[in-house]
Amino acid sequence: MDPRNVRPSELEVWAAERDCDATVVRKLLSAIFRRGVLEPGRWMAESQIPKRLALSVAPSPLPRLTLDGSVVSPKDGFQKLRFRTGEGLALETVLIPLHKEGAVSVCLSSQIGCAMGCTFCATARMAIRRNLQAWEIIDQFLQARELVQAQGRRVTGAVFMGMGEPFLNYDHVLTAADLLRSSSAGSVAAKAITISTVGLVPEIDRYTREGHRYRLAVSLGAATDAKRKELVPVASRWPVAEVVAAARRHALARRARVTLAYVCIGGVNVGEEDARALGELIGDTPVRVDLIEVTDTTGRYLPPTAEELQAFRDALTRHVGQPIVRRYSGGKDIQAACGTLAGVG
Ligand code: SF4
């Protein structure tokens, strides 16, 4: 039983069944998350974790992903890490420098490849290989944090926006998020953790029902079904109005704005009519619209020109009565930007 695959609350129940109290669980998580100790022998020696518990957690050291490559963008300091799983599959993680000096957010992958087929995305072209287990998501975070700390910086946030559709790996993603947030483990503030989805309505509703405190980001792609189906094939299953309705239910239940991510593509979805359609779709739903310029490694889709983007922003200001933010998608020169992760390069 890998404690990185179990929610802290479940780990406490599991330990209680073995006559160990919550203090022991806190010591165990602290050894793993604060000091990076993955060996049962050292848990017993350094943290006074009872031998029977340590050995029933893990008779041998917990596994790690193999760090297989790291590249830093000379342009903006984004850093991409490439890991390999035990069976040799590649996945990628991105370190995002934040505005606050020395602060870094980690962009985590939740699957190897992706089945959603977004036509502008390199991960989609890998197809889907498999879900990552919670420990593989957590180990991305731990290894990224080790690198960041060695550079004298600190990790203050995590976003599930790397390879894969997080809500298709719901349980492992939520387990990983709970571990990241736990004060005994990752100690990342819930509001600094974002889970992104391309718009799976049943999972958005499940997430709302379960009352999670992490930020929710929903990728729209376009404001009409006709355009959205071209960019985000999963749109054939849920009309965009249903996706925004689910986002609205979440925003109202949580009393927090949902982020609607809008990938801007020159000549495709940044016209006056697109802004008007987006405004009608959103209405008074409490959202923040993040504009992200497309990075398509095939060159099929191009980002809008500066004039096109400014005109779109002006149109959105007229048609959408909610905050509009231009989000920087960095690391383009090292294939670390949104939509470019493919486990190569
Ligand atoms: S944009 Fe996200 S959901 Fe769409 S194919 Fe790429 S990784 Fe999957």
Side-chain angles (χ1 to χ4, degrees):
M1 196 274 297
D2 189 326
R4 301 167 299 174
N5 269 343
V6 185
R7 294 181 191 201
S9 54
E10 293 166 353
L11 197 56
E12 285 183 14
V13 172
W14 183 86
E17 287 165 0
R18 285 152 185 81
D19 295 327
C20 290
D21 63 20
T23 316
V24 173
V25 171
R26 280 198 288 277
K27 282 182 184 170
L28 180 63
L29 290 176
S30 170
I32 294 170
F33 281 83
R34 305 254 164 84
R35 291 180 285 116
V37 179
L38 301 175
E39 295 140 39
R42 285 181 59 198
W43 294 336
M44 293 184 273
E46 294 177 18
S47 303
Q48 289 88 47
I49 308 261
K51 184 176 178 182
R52 67 194 154 77
L53 188 92
L55 293 181
S56 61
V57 167
S60 51
L62 298 176
R64 302 212 82 174
L65 297 170
T66 303
L67 181 59
D68 186 37
S70 167
V71 53
V72 181
S73 164
K75 288 191 176 157
D76 56 23
F78 276 57
Q79 183 171 5
K80 184 168 77 167
L81 310 179
R82 184 176 56 226
F83 293 103
R84 292 221 177 254
T85 63
E87 75 267 47
L89 297 174
L91 62 126
E92 293 179 331
T93 307
V94 180
L95 308 186
I96 303 170
L98 301 177
H99 290 306
K100 198 167 176 191
E101 185 65 28
V104 173
S105 185
V106 184
C107 179
L108 299 163
S109 289
S110 55
Q111 299 183 301
I112 297 178
C114 187
M116 295 291 92
C118 301
T119 48
F120 50 83
C121 175
T123 311
R125 288 186 281 281
M126 296 172 69
I128 180 71
R129 304 297 296 271
R130 70 169 172 85
N131 283 341
L132 291 172
Q133 294 185 54
W135 80 260
E136 292 169 312
I137 299 171
I138 288 297
D139 201 39
Q140 294 171 58
F141 175 84
L142 293 177
Q143 295 204 42
R145 194 178 63 180
E146 284 163 23
L147 286 171
V148 166
Q149 288 175 342
Q151 297 160 354
R153 300 186 294 165
R154 66 196 187 287
V155 172
T156 59
V159 293
F160 289 82
M161 294 182 178
M163 292 162 64
E165 160 56 54
F167 276 173
L168 282 184
N169 189 14
Y170 191 96
D171 289 323
H172 283 288
V173 163
L174 267 297
T175 296
D178 283 358
L179 284 163
L180 292 180
R181 191 210 57 198
S182 166
S183 57
S184 307
S187 297
V188 179
K191 65 180 189 318
I193 297 173
T194 300
I195 300 181
S196 172
T197 176
V198 76
L200 309 188
V201 170
E203 281 75 15
I204 295 174
D205 283 337
R206 175 181 173 188
Y207 183 76
T208 303
R209 261 194 326 274
E210 291 177 353
H212 298 288
R213 316 295 292 174
Y214 314 115
R215 285 182 191 274
L216 177 67
V218 179
S219 293
L220 276 193
T224 62
D225 287 320
K227 284 194 185 178
R228 194 160 188 266
K229 275 180 199 163
E230 183 197 323
L231 300 172
V232 183
V234 74
S236 326
R237 286 170 68 192
W238 294 287
V240 68
E242 278 189 33
V243 174
V244 173
R248 180 183 179 84
R249 289 191 286 277
H250 182 80
L252 297 180
R254 282 279 295 107
R255 295 190 187 154
R257 286 183 194 280
V258 170
T259 298
L260 292 185
Y262 193 94
V263 178
C264 297
I265 305 175
V268 174
N269 63 356
V270 289
E272 173 81 25
E273 70 285 4
D274 298 294
R276 191 179 309 111
L278 193 55
E280 283 167 12
L281 190 65
I282 292 171
D284 63 354
T285 302
V287 298
R288 186 188 82 187
V289 180
D290 277 11
L291 302 179
I292 304 152
E293 291 170 51
V294 73
T295 311
D296 176 7
T297 52
T298 68
R300 175 178 170 193
Y301 296 114
L302 295 173
T305 62
E307 295 74 28
E308 228 179 348
L309 189 61
Q310 187 56 51
F312 186 53
R313 285 195 73 162
D314 292 345
L316 287 174
T317 305
R318 288 194 298 280
H319 294 293
V320 179
Q322 306 286 335
I324 315 281
V325 176
R326 184 176 170 188
R327 207 178 89 213
Y328 178 67
S329 179
K332 289 187 173 66
D333 52 330
I334 57 166
Q335 280 79 51
C338 295
T340 63
L341 300 184
V344 292

